[in-house]
Amino acid sequence: QMQLVESGGGLVQPGGSLRLSCAASGFALDDSTIGWFRQAPGKQREVVSCISSRDGSTYSRDSVKGRFTISRDNAQNTIYLQMNGLKQEDTAVYYCASDTYYPYASPCYTANAYDFWGQGTQVTVSS
């Protein structure tokens, strides 16, 4: 069974840090474009950060630049999102995703290009 499973979410105070993990099973992430997305209550899903498999370039939305870092460990078949300096506006359900079948076809920030999605993990930033 091909799936992505996230972990690492939780409740954190403003200014704190969390590290999200996303483990793949049933397929290899090596050649996949990977991404992290989030959805806050009442809002549309948005890209947070992603890595293109075509050239290894990364994309991050402006609001998280300098605070969040996406990475991948192909040996562990896992992707990560290190989140530092968290703000209340970062509160959302975070999803990892893999564009595995046609990883070169679309920019990595294109949500509908992704083939596999995790179940989501809640991140709440509150004092």
Side-chain angles (χ1 to χ4, degrees):
Q1 183 180 1
M2 300 176 179
Q3 62 178 355
L4 297 170
V5 179
E6 299 112 335
S7 60
L11 173 64
V12 62
Q13 292 185 341
S17 297
L18 283 174
R19 186 195 196 203
L20 305 184
S21 300
C22 173
S25 61
F27 69 102
L29 287 171
D30 301 47
D31 294 325
S32 301
T33 285
I34 57 173
W36 285 95
F37 295 76
R38 67 186 181 187
Q39 187 167 19
K43 295 187 177 181
Q44 291 188 331
R45 186 174 299 189
E46 61 185 19
V47 64
V48 176
S49 190
C50 55
I51 302 177
S52 171
S53 64
R54 177 162 50 190
D55 57 7
S57 61
T58 61
Y59 168 89
S60 294
R61 67 183 309 102
D62 287 345
S63 62
V64 307
K65 285 180 180 178
R67 300 189 298 123
F68 291 11
T69 303
I70 186 173
S71 62
R72 66 196 302 164
D73 183 335
N74 289 337
Q76 297 295 322
N77 214 27
T78 300
I79 61 177
Y80 302 97
L81 184 68
Q82 178 66 44
M83 305 186 293
N84 300 326
L86 282 160
K87 305 176 181 179
Q88 287 187 331
E89 52 262 42
D90 295 318
T91 295
V93 178
Y94 283 70
Y95 300 88
C96 63
S98 172
D99 178 2
T100 298
Y101 294 140
Y102 301 101
Y104 302 155
S106 303
C108 73
Y109 49 76
T110 308
N112 61 13
Y114 285 78
D115 308 298
F116 301 107
W117 291 82
Q119 81 286 357
T121 186
Q122 177 70 47
V123 172
T124 302
V125 185
S126 176
S127 56

